[in-house]
């Protein structure tokens, strides 16, 4: 069980960490996505910071389980907000979103399964 928990946590953290870096350095892809979704470019750094906090929180959760659960729950909420942004502009290309959302849900589920709902090991 620990191996599955660790694999999902590391994968979710890596993917969200890379997305955070892309937002924070001003890579073209997040900019084009923001333009398509009509999200102000001024939000890119705060959104990247949230992704980065989620990625670091997942890693910290290996040692402090409650932080991992909160980080995973925060990422789930983040990607639900992203889903709403896609729907708002009637963009129905959900492939990349589904991957990010599924990883966040899997990280939350693995945290809950491995540590229990209140972070006890």
């Amino acid at each position: 069980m620990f191996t599955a928990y660790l694999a999902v946590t590391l994968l979710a953290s890596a993917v969200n960490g890379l997305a955070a870096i892309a937002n924070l350095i001003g890579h073209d892809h997040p900019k084009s996505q923001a333009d398509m979704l009509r999200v102000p470019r001024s939000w890119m750094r705060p959104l990247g910071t949230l992704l980065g906090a989620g990625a670091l929180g997942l890693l910290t959760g290996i040692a402090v389980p409650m932080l991992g659960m909160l980080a995973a729950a925060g990422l789930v909420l983040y990607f639900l907000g992203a889903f709403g942004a896609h729907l708002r502009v009637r963009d129905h290309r959900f492939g990349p979103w589904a991957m990010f959302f599924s990883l966040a849900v899997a990280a939350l589920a693995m945290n809950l399964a491995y540590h229990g709902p209140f972070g006890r090991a």
Side-chain angles (χ1 to χ4, degrees):
M1 178 69 169
F2 178 74
T3 304
Y5 159 73
L6 191 60
V8 168
T9 299
L10 293 176
L11 180 61
S13 180
V15 167
N16 284 291
L18 289 172
I21 290 169
N23 276 331
L24 293 172
I25 67 170
H27 191 273
D28 288 339
H29 183 69
K31 286 180 184 177
S32 67
Q33 289 294 304
D35 293 342
M36 180 197 54
L37 297 173
R38 291 184 286 199
V39 172
R41 284 194 178 185
S42 62
W43 290 14
M44 298 312 297
R45 287 192 195 269
L47 291 174
T49 302
L50 288 173
L51 284 171
L56 290 175
L58 288 175
L59 292 177
T60 304
I62 296 169
V64 184
M66 185 57 73
L67 288 179
M69 277 183 261
L70 292 172
L75 287 170
V76 168
L77 293 173
Y78 178 96
F79 289 111
L80 285 175
F83 183 71
H86 281 273
L87 290 178
R88 181 175 54 87
V89 297
R90 292 178 172 76
D91 174 38
H92 300 290
R93 292 172 290 189
F94 297 121
W97 171 86
M99 187 267 308
F100 279 96
F101 181 70
S102 297
L103 277 174
V105 169
L108 181 58
M110 291 304 293
N111 265 284
L112 290 171
Y114 186 70
H115 295 294
F118 300 107
R120 54 187 186 276

